[in-house]
Amino acid sequence: MGRIGVDIYPLQSGVPLAEVETFAKFLGGSPTNVAVAASRLGRRAAVVSRTGRDPFGDYCRRALTDFGVDPRWVTEVDGAPTPVTFCEIFPPDDFPLYFYRRPKAPDLMVRAEELDLAALREARVFWMTGTGLCEEPSRGATHAALEARARSGITVFDLDWRPMFWPEGAVAAARPHYERALAGATVAVGNLAECEVATGEREPAACARALLAAGVELAVVKLGPEGVLAVHRDGREVGAPPHPVEVVNGLGAGDAFGGALCHGLLEGWELARVMRYANAAGALVAGRLACSAAMPEPAEVEALLAAAD
């Protein structure tokens, strides 16, 4: 549940956006990419969001269908254009994003009274993001979805910190909503900066402890080039190193990680295997240009893991 839009990515690497001459169009939006990643791994997935009533909105629904993701809960909004996002590509670690989401993004206009609460309750995994909490009516709808699930199944809060979507004094404004969402989630996923917004902590182990104290069962703290730390309430703790990769575009790696995380948790794998698998999926996408279209098939992930052994 959350962002959907169109990614307009340059086909020229190392070139400032003002000088790029050729682009490609892809389905985008972090939770949408997670749904595509899960679908590629064999899961049934759907997205709850909204687009403008425009050609880009039509493209998003068609792309979801092509990726095997159910688009029935992606509805149209009058008078609000489907968002587009541009990026610049400066490997290995500089990928500035430029969001065009004005006057208001349709995905922030999801309303609680329009939710299919029965479907939300029945889903084995529900994935929501911090961006969905930044404005009403999306904020109320996101909390309503969490309340409807009542911490059933796997309920994932992707901390997804995007300060440009929040008002001035963003962290202070965001933290109460993050804390409320954490109380309704069973899994929290975020990098150190995102964990700091949610908990006030910055050191990895302290972040994990704070997320568990806030109510989740599993805290997944992404550490960039140092891999990932996963800590479960039952005492299990896993530190998984990253897979080396020649980075082309790092923007979709976290979404691939998310889809693979959902897949591994649904499979009931040991925590260490889940983290290794999710790291491998992220590495594969970091080595590719696109986000949604780059999500790996199961055989690709298994081959990378086998090569690393």
Side-chain angles (χ1 to χ4, degrees):
M1 178 176 176
R3 291 203 310 279
I4 191 169
V6 180
D7 289 342
I8 310 292
Y9 284 1
L11 297 180
Q12 296 159 274
S13 181
V15 178
L17 198 57
E19 299 174 16
V20 173
E21 295 182 353
T22 54
F23 297 84
K25 176 172 98 274
F26 303 101
L27 179 67
S30 179
T32 297
N33 291 336
V34 170
V36 172
S39 178
R40 281 276 173 88
L41 296 173
R43 296 295 171 183
R44 290 191 305 140
V47 174
V48 179
S49 191
R50 306 194 78 177
T51 70
R53 195 179 302 275
D54 53 29
F56 276 153
D58 296 339
Y59 165 75
C60 288
R61 276 176 289 279
R62 186 173 68 247
L64 284 171
T65 300
D66 291 345
F67 284 128
V69 177
D70 193 332
R72 79 179 84 173
W73 294 291
V74 180
T75 58
E76 295 177 316
V77 176
D78 289 317
T82 301
V84 297
T85 303
F86 289 84
C87 80
E88 292 178 303
I89 299 178
F90 298 105
D93 58 2
D94 187 19
F95 306 99
L97 281 168
Y98 301 88
F99 294 97
Y100 292 80
R101 293 169 56 86
R102 299 298 180 190
K104 184 168 183 170
D107 56 63
L108 293 176
M109 299 171 75
V110 177
R111 299 182 180 278
E113 60 269 23
E114 297 168 349
L115 295 175
D116 185 340
L117 295 180
L120 289 168
R121 290 189 192 100
E122 292 166 7
R124 293 178 66 196
V125 176
F126 174 61
W127 182 285
M128 48 73 62
T129 79
T131 295
L133 302 173
C134 73
E135 283 191 41
E136 295 290 0
S138 172
R139 177 185 299 151
T142 302
H143 286 309
L146 290 170
E147 290 164 7
R149 282 188 65 79
R151 294 173 53 82
S152 61
I154 300 166
T155 301
V156 185
F157 180 8
D158 175 5
L159 302 180
D160 181 44
W161 176 240
R162 306 285 181 176
M164 68 286 291
F165 298 161
W166 289 81
E168 193 172 348
V171 172
R175 186 165 294 158
H177 303 294
Y178 272 58
E179 290 173 347
R180 181 180 171 189
L182 284 168
T186 63
V187 180
V189 183
N191 60 32
L192 289 177
E194 291 166 336
C195 290
E196 186 174 19
V197 170
T199 69
E201 300 288 350
R202 183 79 186 192
E203 189 274 328
C207 288
R209 288 193 299 269
L211 291 169
L212 295 175
V216 303
E217 299 294 319
L218 175 63
V220 180
V221 182
K222 299 186 214 177
L223 304 174
E226 297 178 22
V228 63
L229 171 67
V231 182
H232 196 278
R233 182 177 297 280
D234 63 13
R236 286 177 291 160
E237 182 172 325
V238 171
H243 287 266
V245 65
E246 184 175 343
V247 175
V248 174
N249 182 359
L251 293 174
D255 301 334
F257 180 99
L261 171 68
C262 294
H263 176 63
L265 292 175
L266 286 171
E267 286 291 311
W269 292 341
E270 288 294 324
L271 191 56
R273 183 181 179 190
V274 175
M275 292 302 115
R276 281 190 74 229
Y277 193 93
N279 272 348
L284 286 167
V285 175
R288 300 168 179 176
L289 172 65
C291 293
S292 57
M295 295 302 168
E297 304 282 350
E300 295 177 291
V301 183
E302 295 292 353
L304 180 59
L305 289 171
D309 288 339

